[in-house]
């Protein structure tokens, strides 16, 4: 009887070890994702010109504490910011935008440098929002012609 009990206990321990090993392996595999950049993209289509601009963001870091957003003519999701051909916004401040005919109006807490080789038929108008009360009023109007990109 002791030999049979020992075999059953050994068998159960082997199964539990296998199950625990699989759980640990799955957990360690998810650790690879920590710190990898997370990309987001929003296409803004201008039917009159039959062209698009793209609002893209890249968020990275061990605690996801770095962020950069761009206005670009390139549609690729994963990107490296290019200060010569893209408008670059640093940090976590949101962007509110509005499309008017062939103009993209950008409202932000920061005003990026105008890139020297931004090649688009669409005009980009940058409007710096200086205070939070003005920003909050705009956020209330998001459903009425304004959009938000975070």
């Amino acid at each position: 009887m002791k030999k049979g009990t020992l075999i059953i206990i050994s068998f159960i321990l082997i199964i539990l070890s296998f199950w625990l090993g699989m759980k640990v392996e799955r957990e360690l595999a998810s650790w690879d994702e920590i710190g990898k950049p997370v990309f987001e993209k929003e296409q803004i289509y201008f039917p009159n010109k039959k062209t698009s601009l793209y609002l893209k963001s890249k968020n990275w870091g061990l605690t996801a504490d770095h962020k950069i957003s761009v206005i670009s003519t390139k549609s690729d999701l994963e990107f490296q910011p290019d200060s010569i051909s893209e408008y670059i916004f640093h940090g976590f401040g949101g962007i509110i935008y509005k499309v008017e005919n062939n103009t993209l109006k950008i409202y932000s807490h920061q005003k990026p440098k105008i890139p020297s080789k931004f090649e688009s038929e669409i005009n980009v108008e940058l409007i710096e929002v200086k205070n939070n009360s003005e920003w909050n009023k705009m956020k209330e109007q998001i459903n009425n012609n304004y959009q938000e990109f975070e």
Side-chain angles (χ1 to χ4, degrees):
M1 190 70 141
K2 286 188 176 190
K3 191 173 184 181
T5 306
L6 187 59
I7 290 173
I8 291 173
I9 291 173
S10 297
F11 184 70
I12 291 172
L13 287 175
I14 289 171
I15 291 174
L16 284 174
S17 297
F18 181 73
W19 177 79
L20 184 61
M22 299 250 326
K23 293 283 275 180
V24 168
E25 190 275 330
R26 272 191 230 133
E27 181 64 32
L28 291 176
S30 70
W31 288 7
D32 288 343
E33 298 300 314
I34 295 174
K36 284 189 178 179
V38 175
F39 295 94
E40 291 185 32
K41 175 178 81 169
E42 192 167 315
Q43 179 180 7
I44 305 167
Y45 183 67
F46 295 85
N48 294 344
K49 295 289 186 175
K50 295 184 179 160
T51 189
S52 294
L53 289 180
Y54 301 90
L55 286 170
K56 302 187 289 187
S57 70
K58 177 181 176 181
N59 193 345
W60 73 97
L62 190 58
T63 58
D65 57 349
H66 300 287
K67 184 172 183 178
I68 197 159
S69 300
V70 298
I71 302 170
S72 179
T73 57
K74 300 172 191 148
S75 64
D76 53 334
L77 176 62
E78 296 186 13
F79 68 95
Q80 291 297 326
D82 179 8
S83 62
I84 294 173
S85 65
E86 297 174 326
Y87 291 87
I88 299 174
F89 299 85
H90 297 275
F92 285 90
I95 295 172
I96 295 176
Y97 66 92
K98 181 179 182 181
V99 175
E100 287 185 353
N101 298 322
N102 297 326
T103 301
L104 176 62
K105 290 188 171 190
I106 299 289
Y107 300 88
S108 174
H109 286 295
Q110 56 181 296
K111 198 166 186 181
K113 184 178 140 191
I114 297 173
S116 59
K117 293 190 179 178
F118 185 79
E119 297 174 359
S120 175
E121 297 178 43
I122 305 305
N123 299 318
V124 177
E125 184 179 334
L126 300 168
I127 300 138
E128 186 176 9
V129 180
K130 303 234 186 241
N131 59 49
N132 285 337
S133 64
E134 186 179 344
W135 183 262
N136 291 335
K137 283 179 189 174
M138 292 183 71
K139 283 186 89 163
E140 290 173 2
Q141 296 182 18
I142 285 193
N143 293 335
N144 303 325
N145 299 327
Y146 290 93
Q147 303 279 335
E148 184 174 22
F149 181 75
E150 294 185 286

